[in-house]
Amino acid sequence: MFLVALPWKRMGLFGQLGISDGNPNLIKSGMHTGIRGNSFFKNRSDDRWVLALYNYSLLVPPEDFAFTLGKSLRNKTGEDFFIRLE
């Protein structure tokens, strides 16, 4: 979902927030937010870029459930950046 669009700057802000009771999944909360835009160069008007931040939190302590699955689970925070060249 776009929060703010700045058409004269060819960019905009977006974000999403979610909260769950953990039934039927293990995710307690999650969010992502970022900024996206078009190329800064006039001759590359179809290029796109995105810079985003995200966070996911698990409902149960990750160690408790990870043992059952035999996998390493943990809360996750990170960033992502990509450019699509056309």
Side-chain angles (χ1 to χ4, degrees):
M1 150 176 40
F2 271 99
L3 302 175
V4 177
L6 308 170
W8 64 93
K9 297 275 189 184
R10 297 170 46 113
M11 52 182 20
L13 301 174
F14 64 89
Q16 182 175 351
L17 174 66
I19 299 174
S20 168
D21 65 357
N23 185 9
N25 60 40
L26 296 176
I27 297 176
K28 175 174 63 173
S29 64
M31 81 79 191
H32 66 269
T33 186
I35 185 169
R36 59 142 323 263
N38 295 353
S39 176
F40 296 107
F41 306 106
K42 289 185 181 190
N43 62 342
R44 304 286 307 187
S45 62
D46 292 332
D47 295 350
R48 306 284 186 265
W49 58 270
V50 174
L51 175 63
L53 305 172
Y54 62 88
N55 177 286
Y56 292 98
S57 299
L58 300 178
L59 186 63
V60 297
E63 307 81 38
D64 294 351
F65 196 75
F67 178 75
T68 306
L69 290 177
K71 300 201 182 254
S72 174
L73 298 176
R74 64 182 194 272
N75 297 334
K76 182 76 173 169
T77 300
E79 67 282 333
D80 192 13
F81 176 75
F82 77 87
I83 299 174
R84 184 180 75 192
L85 303 173
E86 293 200 16

